[in-house]
Every structure is written in C-alpha cells, then in structure tokens.
Amino acid sequence: MSVKSTAAGGAPAKGRGRTTRAAVAKRGSGEPGLVQLLTPEGERVEHDDYAIDLTPEELRGLYRDMVLTRRFDAEAITLQRQGELGLWASLLGQEAAQIGSGRATRPDDYVFPTYREHGVAWTRDVDPLNLLGMFRGVNHGGWDPNENNFQLYTIVIGSQTLHATGYAMGVAKDGADAAVIAYFGDGASSQGDVAEAFTFAAVYNAPVVFFCQNNQWAISEPTEKQSRVPIYQRAAGFGFPGVRVDGNDVLAVLAVTRAALDHARSGQGPMLVEAFTYRMGAHTTTDDPTRYRRDEEREEWASKDPIARLKTYLEREGIADEAFYAEIDAESDALAKRVREGVRNMPNPGTMAIFENVYADGSALVDEERAQFAAYLESFDTGDTTVGSTVGTGH
Amino acid sequence: MTQTMAVAKALNESLRKALENDPKVLIMGEDVGKLGGVFRITDGLHKDFGEGRVIDTPLAESGIVGTAIGLALRGYRPVVEIQFDGFVFPAYDQIVTQLAKMHARALGKIKLPVVIRIPYGGGIGAVEHHSESPEALFAHIPGLKVVSPSNASDAYWMLQQAIECDDPVIFFEPKRRYWDKGEVDVSALPGDLHQAVIAQPGTDVTLAAYGPMVKVCLEAAAAAANEGRSLEVVDLRSLSPIDFDTIQASVRRTGRLVVVHEAPVFYGAGAEIAARIAERCFYHLEAPVLRVGGFHAPYPPARLEEEYLPGLDRVLDAVDRALAY
Ligand SMILES: Cc1ncc(C[n+]2csc(CCOP(=O)(O)OP(=O)(O)O)c2C)c(N)n1
C-alpha cells in the first residue's frame, strides 16, 4: 500500500491557506503515514507539512489541559463506582487527541462531539460539571450549545457528522470566517450517516473537519471489523484530503487540526483527520474489555502515553519546573473536589420536568397529560404539596 | 424437563438450540461475538459455532439489516441483534421499506425469515436512547410480525418459533426482565407464537399487557387481591398479530379492560386494543377501555424513570377508575 501521499487527488484547490499535502512522517512514528512531532520518548521531530512553534507558556498550557482532563476523567470513574453516576465513558489515553484538536479551534468555530469528548469540552470552556448531568441521569444534555459553540453530546453513533456538515454549509452560505469540527470514532466510520456526511461535505465544499479518534476499538470490535483500509484513506474516495496523525502526540494533533481547520475556513472544503490513538480503559463503565482484549496491547500503548511524553519533553527543554508541577497538582485536586461535591449536590429534576420542553410552541396534548398526572400525584395527598420534589435523591 | 433460568439465559439457550438445529441460522450484530453482546445474550455462541455462524458486524444498523435481507434471499435465516431500542432507527428504512414488503412484492415467491432482536424498554437507569419502547412503530407496518416475551419460558420458546417463522419477526426483549428467573420446560410443546395467555385468572377487571409490564400487572393483581378485588391478567405475547379473541373472551367475563404498556399512550398499542375491544365487546363493557402508559414526552433522564414508568399504583388507579363506572 502506498504511503507516499495522504492527500486525495480530487480536492478542489481554491482559496489560500497552507498546503494540506501530508507526507510520511520523517522518522520515529513506526506507523505509515503518521504525522508526528513528538516521539513516544519525548523527542521533538520535524515534519515538512506540519511545522509548529509554540511558546513555553503554550506548551505548559497543553500539559496542564491534559493533566486536568485526565484527573476529571478519573474522578468521574470513581464517582460512577460510588454510584453517583449511572455510567461513564472514559477518555483515558485520548487526552492529546482531544486537547490538541480542541486547542486548534477558534472561538467562532463550532464543535460537534460524541459522548466522550470531555477534553474537547474543556478546551471550549464548558464547565466539566455540565458534562456529568446526563451520566448522572438528571438531564439529557445540560448545557446551551451556543454558549461555547459546543453541541450536545451525541449517543446515536455517527448522527452528528451530518449535523456538522449542515452547519458548515450554513457557515459557508453566511460567508463567515469559521470552520466546523465533527468528532466520531473508528466504529462510527461504518455508519451510513458518516458516509452521507462525507458526500454532502464534498459536494457542497463545506468547511468541516471530520475528526476521527481511532482508539482501535468500537466496544469489543477492533478497527479491522470496520474497515480494510486505514480510515484516513477513505476521504480520497469522497474527493477530499485525509491525514493520519499520531493521536498521542498533542503537538502533532494541534498542528494537523489547525491546518485542517485553516483549509476548511479558507474555502478549500472538508478534510478528514484520523487521530491514531488508544482507549486505555473500558468502552464505558459497563464494559468488560478482558473478554476481548489482550493485556499486552494495553501495555504497549501505555508506553506511548500522551502526557508522559510531553512531560519528558518539557523537562528535557527545561520548560517546566517543580513549582509548575506542584501548581498543577493543586489545581487537579481542587478540580476533583469541585467535581465530586458538585455531582453529589446536583439536584434531581422535579417530576414535572418530564413534560417540559417537549415542544417549543407548546402542545395541548402535553398540557392535558401534565394536568392529569399532577392530579394523579396529588390524589395521594401525602401532605407534601411540592409535586416537583417527589423524587428521592438516590443517595 | 424443567429448568430454572433467567430470561437472558433462556434466550441464550434458545439461540444455541436454533444454531444446532438448523445450519442456515446465523447470528449477526455489533459485539455479538467474543463479547457475547452487551447483555451477554449470545455468550459462548461465537466460541462454539465460530465466526461463520456468529458474526460481529460493522457498526452500521442499516447495513446489518440490509445484508440480513440479502442472506435471507440466499436461503439463510439471520437472527439480528440491535444493541438497544434507540439504535434500530438507522435500520428502520431497511425494515420498513424492504424487509416488510418484499414477500408481497414478489407475489409470495420469496420468503424473508429474518428475526430482529431488540432489547427494549426502561427501568435500568440508562442514558438516553437506551430505554425506549418503539413497538407500535413496527406493529403498524404490514408484513412484519411483532412479539415480546415476558418470562423465561416464553423467551426460550418464542425466540425459536420466531426463527422458524418464514416471515420477518421483530422480537422485542424486555431488558429489565433479563435477570428475572423462571421455569423453562425445554421438552414441552410450545403454544402458538401469536396466542395470548391468561397469566392470572380473575373476574373483576382485565389487565392486558406484554413484555416488561406483565410482571407489574401480576403484582397489581396480587395487591388488588388483598383488597378483595379479582384482576385477570392477559399476557398478549404478540403485538402483530394480536390475539383479540383471548382478550375479548376475558373482557366478556370481567366487563372491564385496562391496557398497560411502557410506550407512550398516544397512538400506542393500547389505542388499537381499545378500539377493537370497544367494537367487539360494546355490549359487555361496563366501563370505557382505559390505558396506562408513557406520556407524550421523550423518555426522561434516569432519575425520573420511576415516575415515568407505569408502576403498581398507576395500574391500580386505572383499575379504580374502571370500577367506578
Ligand atoms: C447507532 C448506534 N448503534 C449502536 C450504538 C451502541 N454503541 C455505543 S458506543 C459504540 C461503539 C462506538 O465505537 P466508536 O465509534 O469507535 O467510538 P468509541 O466509543 O470507541 O470512541 C456502540 C456500538 C450506538 N450508540 N448508536
């Protein structure tokens, strides 16, 4: 299989913007076509098409983002085990893919996530507590998507790629200086919706970046059960460029996603980024990976840990000192505490919330059912007049 | 030969039996292989029958059902697993526009023996799209058969009967009953797949239910018995076709009918049953047919599902109202 160029032939090349012709990483990655700027050993390498020059402060910022995101994720797992959350989808191991790509977005860009994008949410300044409501079972979303241009989490696999494409078509119609990024998994790449999103994005030259986090597994099924070619190569068949980036290398992800967003923003149409990464934990807290996955595989990927490699680099270059790490530790503890307390104190919705927001314009049918149900609840006449508080707290 | 087993185990044994009995039977779906499905209904089958018979598919529901149609056209009998109720919709087009209609379009010359298993309903504290009851959307479609067992014995037998059926069958599994145990007589001859049964005889009011709500109705009957009321519980088992004769006979005895399901009441299975029974039993009814079910609202977040799902109290409240006429 040729790995000479990862760019698709058919992409329209109008507008300015940097070249998106991705080439083979010069060295270090071991994976064909993988763009890498920081090796697993924490060594900085260069890439012809994806140069990046970050200030020490920016580098420390990326490290901070990843550590805090990992800590948040760990806290959520603990809260799930303690019965405070019904479910959790961990991002452990995918911090670089999420932080790198999220930090590549600009405020005006718009993000369409799945259910695992806690790190991307972090980069968009979404309050981490907002992410936990649906996993605790108090709501189905919990934030205003337009506040941070960060859409609600999507559970139905692949759906959001079409929404992102349509949104991007709107952005283009408006002539806005923005791009859209749609997140999805390797498993999702099999869905018809994703293929249709690729088709629409290509046909309408929509400013959308398809960001696939290939974490190697869709619950129990390895990527080979979804595709016989590397996922980034699929873009070629639709007529836009695809590139594979080391998803555990935050610098490379940042550089590649930034380039892809620039490409989209400058009128050159969609691009597919495949972040080659790994899901270190279970699919969700209800999953048991020992039934389908070898331990050695996990260990092998542990040596490519995104946080460890950046830390090695920061230390080697003398970019961070002990005080910096101590500060991050303290910040992590504070975040964990805030999340823990916030979740425990998260109020249950009132019973009548069932009938809220079913329609924007209201509905006589809903009104009737609401009134009937309220009358039914009141018929118990427990002396508790607050219908809205009939739900137990659950802890 | 009677054995005690959980509903999930009964389904698993049933699939095993079907794979053993007929080399044309295939299991298909997401994670049905090594993992044994997210609910472990296919546990061990991949190991024992191999990946030629128990097929892990790409994550694509339209693809799963569409290819199952092709395999059926080629003489296979695919048993497809949809991981959760809310994820059947990407396949809805294939099911409704193709699977349901091909037999008729081919003037009866081809058969589509495809079974689509869907774990459905709420009560397990899940996130959205994991607790829905879309059965009416399928029962409304001519050409599909729709069934739902409520206990281990029916799980065991009805699934094999569905697989043996030459028509497409949508097989709704009440996921919150997966862990409920019951007696399964693996040597008995099963009844008709589409026949309703009297799960509990009674004389005052008929409760008609299926799947997850049968247990709630049996509990309601037990509670009512303490108050000197005798409720008859009909387990419908099949939603398309519906065995109206059994419901009719029951209503002629009791004079009152309450239909119970988790799905929204509006345009739900209860509407069809109420209309037919009103037609058939007009002079025997002492009260209008009442319905207990979900609201015209999205299935709520887990912390509200206890309130949303019809429980004992809501069923008994409807019984009171029926008796008040
Ligand atoms: C349409 C649909 N089918 C099935 C599921 C159940 N499901 C949830 S996550 C998942 C695997 C997703 O894998 P992938 O797309 O690789 O993303 P990852 O979770 O690994 O990030 C499946 C099958 C779903 N949510 N939606």
Side-chain angles (χ1 to χ4, degrees):
Chain A
M1 185 180 317
S2 163
V3 291
K4 205 70 199 125
S5 169
T6 56
K14 55 182 161 187
R16 296 174 297 109
R18 76 176 70 203
T19 169
T20 52
R21 185 183 52 82
V24 191
K26 288 233 161 55
R27 60 194 166 103
S29 79
E31 273 289 333
L34 197 70
V35 177
Q36 195 174 68
L37 296 177
L38 196 60
T39 69
E41 294 73 37
E43 234 177 277
R44 190 74 168 76
V45 289
E46 292 303 326
H47 190 283
D48 285 349
D49 296 307
Y50 298 101
I52 197 162
D53 192 15
L54 298 173
T55 64
E57 197 184 342
E58 285 170 323
L59 288 165
R60 283 193 297 268
L62 293 172
Y63 180 82
R64 171 182 177 269
D65 287 340
M66 290 199 288
V67 170
L68 288 178
T69 298
R70 181 171 287 187
R71 181 59 180 267
F72 166 68
D73 187 71
E75 193 58 36
I77 292 174
T78 305
L79 286 164
Q80 195 281 333
R81 299 228 168 95
Q82 294 169 349
E84 300 288 347
L85 299 177
L87 180 82
W88 184 245
S90 165
L91 66 23
L92 184 65
Q94 300 179 218
E95 294 86 355
Q98 298 200 8
I99 297 300
S101 60
R103 285 291 173 214
T105 63
R106 293 190 199 159
D108 275 356
D109 294 342
Y110 210 103
V111 177
F112 286 81
T114 73
Y115 42 80
R116 205 190 287 284
E117 265 65 83
H118 323 310
V120 185
W122 172 265
T123 67
R124 301 296 299 182
D125 291 330
V126 175
D127 184 340
L129 270 174
N130 281 346
L131 306 177
L132 297 167
M134 70 177 265
F135 292 103
R136 186 170 170 83
V138 301
N139 60 41
H140 287 319
W143 62 90
D144 174 357
N146 291 327
E147 213 164 275
N148 305 87
N149 283 9
F150 186 80
Q151 247 298 328
L152 299 174
Y153 276 180
T154 314
I155 289 179
V156 181
I157 299 295
S159 293
Q160 75 284 0
T161 57
L162 279 165
H163 312 157
T165 301
Y167 193 95
M169 287 160 64
V171 166
K173 276 184 194 301
D174 295 345
D177 181 29
V180 178
I181 183 165
Y183 287 84
F184 60 104
D186 44 305
S189 71
S190 296
Q191 284 286 355
D193 273 8
V194 174
E196 293 183 28
F198 287 2
T199 298
F200 275 69
V203 165
Y204 296 105
N205 205 41
V208 56
V209 172
F210 296 108
F211 192 92
C212 178
Q213 281 169 90
N214 178 357
N215 64 11
Q216 314 301 325
W217 292 94
I219 309 188
S220 73
E221 299 192 14
T223 312
E224 303 84 76
K225 278 273 171 344
Q226 315 292 340
S227 179
R228 293 295 297 269
V229 298
I231 287 170
Y232 73 97
Q233 288 182 359
R234 291 198 173 180
F238 290 87
F240 55 88
V243 56
R244 180 181 266 189
V245 61
D246 183 338
N248 286 16
D249 170 355
V250 71
L251 302 187
V253 175
L254 177 62
V256 167
T257 314
R258 201 178 258 175
L261 287 164
D262 281 348
H263 171 94
R265 224 184 263 111
S266 63
Q268 297 179 78
M271 198 166 153
L272 171 63
V273 176
E274 177 190 0
F276 202 73
T277 181
Y278 193 70
R279 188 193 83 204
M280 294 295 289
H283 168 70
T284 66
T285 43
T286 59
D287 176 38
D288 174 12
T290 62
R291 292 180 78 107
Y292 56 81
R293 189 169 82 177
R294 293 174 304 113
D295 284 347
E296 304 88 77
E297 182 186 293
R298 193 185 183 283
E299 280 154 28
E300 193 188 313
W301 276 91
S303 67
K304 302 180 192 167
D305 188 278
I307 297 183
R309 84 169 72 169
L310 183 59
K311 188 171 187 187
T312 309
Y313 176 65
L314 295 182
E315 283 175 352
R316 177 174 306 138
E317 300 295 313
I319 294 172
D321 56 14
E322 283 310 314
F324 170 73
Y325 295 119
E327 195 182 303
I328 299 224
D329 278 350
E331 239 187 302
S332 293
D333 289 344
L335 174 67
K337 185 163 181 279
R338 186 166 86 79
V339 164
R340 196 159 54 240
E341 287 171 0
V343 165
R344 293 202 170 125
N345 294 322
M346 207 175 267
N348 278 332
T351 305
M352 288 301 147
I354 289 171
F355 303 99
E356 277 164 27
N357 301 312
V358 182
Y359 294 94
D361 274 350
S363 151
L365 173 63
V366 175
D367 292 345
E368 187 188 332
E369 290 193 351
R370 181 198 285 119
Q372 279 169 357
F373 194 48
Y376 163 74
L377 292 177
E378 269 155 30
S379 73
F380 288 96
D381 199 34
T382 55
D384 176 9
T385 49
T386 53
V387 165
S389 65
T390 54
V391 190
T393 59
H395 63 272
Chain B
M1 207 175 74
T2 301
Q3 297 170 22
T4 304
M5 59 179 101
V7 168
K9 182 66 181 162
L11 293 166
N12 177 262
E13 291 290 332
S14 186
L15 290 173
R16 175 175 291 279
K17 196 84 180 294
L19 286 165
E20 276 166 4
N21 289 349
D22 185 349
K24 293 293 185 188
V25 170
L26 304 174
I27 312 283
M28 298 170 65
E30 295 158 10
D31 304 294
V32 297
K34 271 191 192 158
L35 186 65
V38 291
F39 287 109
R40 310 287 184 261
I41 306 301
T42 56
D43 198 13
L45 301 178
H46 179 267
K47 185 168 144 274
D48 295 343
F49 295 92
E51 60 184 352
R53 305 282 309 278
V54 181
I55 305 168
D56 264 337
T57 64
L59 207 179
E61 286 77 9
S62 181
I64 295 170
V65 173
T67 56
I69 291 172
L71 282 158
L73 292 173
R74 182 67 195 178
Y76 286 90
R77 305 186 86 86
V79 183
V80 158
E81 175 173 303
I82 298 292
Q83 208 155 69
F84 277 93
D85 35 63
F87 308 142
V88 70
F89 295 105
Y92 196 62
D93 169 42
Q94 284 289 345
I95 295 171
V96 171
T97 66
Q98 307 302 322
L99 183 62
K101 296 195 166 107
M102 261 184 209
H103 177 72
R105 289 178 57 221
L107 306 178
K109 301 289 183 216
I110 52 170
K111 290 172 182 158
L112 277 302
V114 176
V115 174
I116 301 180
R117 296 179 34 241
I118 308 179
Y120 82 121
I124 64 162
V127 292
E128 68 171 337
H129 311 298
H130 290 73
S131 305
E132 288 164 27
S133 302
E135 60 272 16
L137 299 177
F138 295 89
H140 190 64
I141 306 300
L144 301 177
K145 289 180 172 167
V146 181
V147 302
S148 179
S150 70
N151 57 58
S153 176
D154 277 352
Y156 181 79
W157 284 115
M158 287 171 69
L159 183 51
Q160 286 175 71
Q161 291 173 300
I163 295 169
E164 282 160 16
C165 176
D166 280 335
D167 289 309
V169 180
I170 314 296
F171 193 88
F172 280 104
E173 300 173 0
K175 67 171 89 84
R176 69 166 143 147
R177 305 291 176 230
Y178 273 154
W179 304 278
D180 287 4
K181 289 194 169 161
E183 301 273 288
V184 181
D185 185 346
V186 296
S187 52
L189 280 181
D192 179 339
L193 175 61
H194 300 290
Q195 195 185 336
V197 299
I198 309 290
Q200 164 80 47
T203 52
D204 296 340
V205 178
T206 300
L207 298 178
Y210 53 87
M213 279 296 141
V214 171
K215 185 176 178 185
V216 173
C217 289
L218 289 172
E219 286 165 2
N226 292 334
E227 297 170 11
R229 279 176 182 167
S230 168
L231 308 186
E232 177 148 302
V233 179
V234 178
D235 181 350
L236 297 177
R237 300 170 77 249
S238 173
L239 290 174
S240 179
I242 291 182
D243 172 13
F244 288 107
D245 290 347
T246 297
I247 312 174
Q248 175 179 340
S250 173
V251 171
R252 286 190 177 205
R253 288 193 294 275
T254 62
R256 291 174 168 86
L257 174 62
V258 176
V259 189
V260 185
H261 53 61
E262 285 186 26
V265 164
F266 194 58
Y267 282 109
E272 181 60 40
I273 295 166
R276 296 264 178 171
I277 292 303
E279 233 173 78
R280 288 182 173 217
C281 303
F282 189 67
Y283 293 107
H284 292 86
L285 282 168
E286 307 279 347
V289 180
L290 299 180
R291 289 170 290 160
V292 179
F295 305 109
H296 191 63
Y299 192 89
R303 297 264 165 167
L304 285 180
E305 69 179 343
E306 291 273 313
E307 276 61 34
Y308 176 94
L309 290 170
L312 210 57
D313 285 336
R314 272 170 67 197
V315 174
L316 292 173
D317 177 69
V319 166
D320 285 347
R321 281 188 284 131
L323 284 165
Y325 278 92

